[in-house]
Amino acid sequence: QASGGGATAPPASTASVLVKGALKAEDQACLFEALAGLVSALPEEQMRPALQKLLEGPASNLAELATEAAQGRIAADTQGCACWVARSIEAIGTISKGFSQQQTCAVPDWEAILQVVARTLDLRSGAFNSDIGLWRANLFLCRRMVEVLGDHFLNPLDALLPFLYASNQADLLELTTFAHQIVCQYQKKTQSLLQKWLHVVFSRPFNVWRQMPEDSEQLKRERFELGSALLLLLKESAQRCPITLLEPMLLQGSSSSYGQDLVSFLLQGLQDPRELKALLYATSSWSALLDVAAGPGSNPEALGALPLAQLLRQLLWSVARMDYADVSSQKVLGEAAAILRSLTSTRLLPEALAGQAMEALQQALVAALPGLSSDVAPRQLCEALAKDAPLKDIRVAIQQCAADWHRDMATRRG
């Protein structure tokens, strides 16, 4: 307080706030968020020093636990140290709420603190893999950095992703949803990251999914939700970065390759016509992949590595039995038409390969439409494909096959 005249504000350089760990987590979060809002509003030349000061505490905590001297302390109180790391990472994520991609001048500071986070998690991953709080803090930070750093986050994410998937406490549904967000956000720019980590990003949830029990309605729902999230991730990846999926799927003679699991999972997505969401994701994935595999500049002969006859059988069987009253059925029809054209077009494929696919298609139609009294609709479909007709015409022909079959089945039941 100043005596006599009005109050005089102290110089800005003397103002400081000391945040001690005695604060409750929610109070600390509120304080950090409020301070970050003030810092982000500062002029650029003042913003970076203020942000660095704000990040100094969490960075110091993390760096301390990454030292060799901290090993004994971690061994004596692993849970306590993991909790402390989680609070430090949460603090960084909370501070980031005051920032966006518009503050480009702060990018080096965020990259620097993310290096500290990644180094600490890498050095202590074995000790901290079982802490759910730390896993959630890391995922929270990653989600925030997508919003704050934009494209600049791709390199730091490469270092943070392994911990997210290595943790035995990972919520794989939430994590797969985040992976889908990453592909949607960065699209083709995700390709190098996916090529490096798809064997983990896909295989970890897939291996859990195929072992999940279905002993109750809740367990069935949980298994379906994880499977649908994984199919959605593959659909988006197939549409944005198709080479990432095609490379392992077309790889032959490698028993350790996860490509066969990818093929099996995408085929399984076609099996149940009652699950239109899964059917749409699977058909969209196959459509995008085959469009590239049979497109210009590709090696169509490599398609022989895929179980195309099985693909055609399962696709047509489900398309004939799905609920056409659901609006999603028209989207499935469009993707199915694109698949058939990619596999039978003599414009895209060598004549011999297209001929084999057409023969497999005819056999698949017989299997999918048992008891069909007339072959007019299937013949019209094959003729449309042979003429390389527009997708609209192919889609109409597929739907006519299904309509004729349903009419015959209804007549027999009546």
Side-chain angles (χ1 to χ4, degrees):
Q1 300 289 328
S3 59
T8 303
S13 59
T14 65
S16 63
V17 176
L18 182 62
V19 180
K20 291 186 176 292
L23 281 174
K24 292 182 179 179
E26 56 270 24
D27 295 333
Q28 186 185 59
C30 291
L31 178 57
F32 273 127
E33 189 170 351
L35 291 173
L38 296 173
V39 169
S40 64
L42 292 172
E44 188 172 308
E45 65 275 8
Q46 297 178 19
M47 182 194 304
R48 284 196 64 189
L51 175 60
Q52 291 166 5
K53 194 68 178 176
L54 203 54
L55 293 172
E56 190 177 86
S60 176
N61 295 336
L62 294 171
E64 180 184 346
L65 288 174
T67 62
E68 187 174 343
Q71 290 184 0
R73 175 183 169 192
I74 294 173
D77 186 12
T78 301
Q79 185 176 358
C81 290
C83 181
W84 189 241
V85 171
R87 284 193 63 175
S88 299
I89 293 176
E90 284 174 358
I92 297 167
T94 302
I95 292 169
S96 76
K97 288 184 176 181
F99 293 80
S100 68
Q101 295 182 40
Q102 295 178 351
Q103 286 101 358
T104 56
C105 66
V107 167
D109 302 307
W110 292 117
E111 291 178 332
I113 193 67
L114 289 175
Q115 288 179 3
V116 176
V117 173
R119 184 166 60 250
T120 304
L121 294 177
D122 181 52
L123 291 173
R124 305 302 179 210
S125 60
F128 296 153
N129 270 354
S130 299
D131 192 274
I132 183 62
L134 179 52
W135 181 85
R136 292 198 175 280
N138 192 21
L139 182 60
F140 166 61
L141 177 62
C142 287
R143 282 179 165 150
R144 285 299 313 141
M145 289 298 105
V146 171
E147 303 298 325
V148 173
L149 287 180
D151 292 354
H152 295 285
F153 183 52
L154 281 172
N155 284 336
L157 179 60
D158 181 43
L160 294 170
L161 206 58
F163 177 82
L164 285 172
Y165 280 91
S167 173
N168 54 26
Q169 293 295 318
D171 182 331
L172 292 173
L173 175 59
E174 195 170 352
L175 192 49
T176 302
T177 302
F178 171 67
H180 173 253
Q181 176 194 353
I182 291 296
V183 177
C184 290
Q185 174 78 20
Y186 298 114
Q187 302 190 23
K188 293 182 179 180
K189 296 175 184 176
T190 321
Q191 181 163 311
S192 59
L193 186 73
L194 278 179
Q195 285 178 311
K196 181 176 180 180
W197 293 112
L198 185 63
H199 68 287
V200 174
V201 172
F202 167 72
S203 296
R204 176 79 200 283
F206 171 74
N207 288 329
V208 169
W209 170 83
R210 65 179 172 184
Q211 296 176 20
M212 292 175 74
E214 296 184 274
D215 301 333
S216 68
E217 289 302 316
Q218 180 178 348
L219 292 174
K220 288 179 182 178
R221 185 173 63 254
E222 289 174 357
R223 187 174 189 269
F224 174 75
E225 288 175 353
L226 179 57
S228 295
L230 195 51
L231 277 173
L232 181 59
L233 170 61
L234 294 183
K235 177 194 81 83
E236 202 68 39
S237 301
Q239 293 175 338
R240 310 297 184 185
C241 315
I243 298 299
T244 303
L245 272 64
L246 279 173
E247 285 180 344
M249 289 172 68
L250 297 177
L251 187 62
Q252 300 184 62
S254 175
S255 59
S256 62
S257 171
Y258 61 97
Q260 187 55 49
D261 288 339
L262 279 168
V263 172
S264 299
F265 185 65
L266 287 174
L267 284 174
Q268 190 156 350
L270 302 173
Q271 284 186 349
D272 192 344
R274 297 168 299 177
E275 299 294 352
L276 270 177
K277 182 166 70 170
L279 183 59
L280 175 59
Y281 295 161
T283 52
S284 299
S285 300
W286 282 112
S287 174
L289 293 172
L290 293 173
D291 183 58
V292 173
S298 65
N299 176 20
E301 301 296 339
L303 288 172
L306 298 175
L308 299 181
Q310 183 182 356
L311 167 61
L312 289 170
R313 286 196 305 271
Q314 291 187 197
L315 173 67
L316 292 173
W317 193 91
S318 289
V319 166
R321 290 160 178 78
M322 66 182 177
D323 181 8
Y324 280 86
D326 192 308
V327 293
S328 297
S329 65
Q330 295 304 310
K331 296 179 181 178
V332 174
L333 267 180
E335 301 294 358
I339 291 171
L340 296 188
R341 189 169 70 174
S342 291
L343 292 178
T344 60
S345 173
T346 53
R347 178 176 55 85
L348 298 173
L349 301 176
E351 187 172 344
L353 190 59
Q356 292 173 10
M358 186 65 77
E359 183 178 344
L361 170 63
Q362 293 168 349
Q363 294 173 358
L365 284 167
V366 172
L369 308 171
L372 184 66
S373 61
S374 170
D375 67 346
V376 173
R379 191 170 65 250
Q380 289 175 341
L381 172 60
C382 292
E383 288 173 356
L385 290 167
K387 294 176 182 177
D388 208 12
L391 286 177
K392 179 183 69 173
D393 295 345
I394 299 172
R395 185 175 58 199
V396 170
I398 297 173
Q399 187 166 359
Q400 188 61 53
C401 290
D404 288 358
W405 179 74
H406 280 286
R407 182 196 60 215
D408 287 352
M409 294 301 102
T411 300
R412 291 184 182 182
R413 285 194 298 268

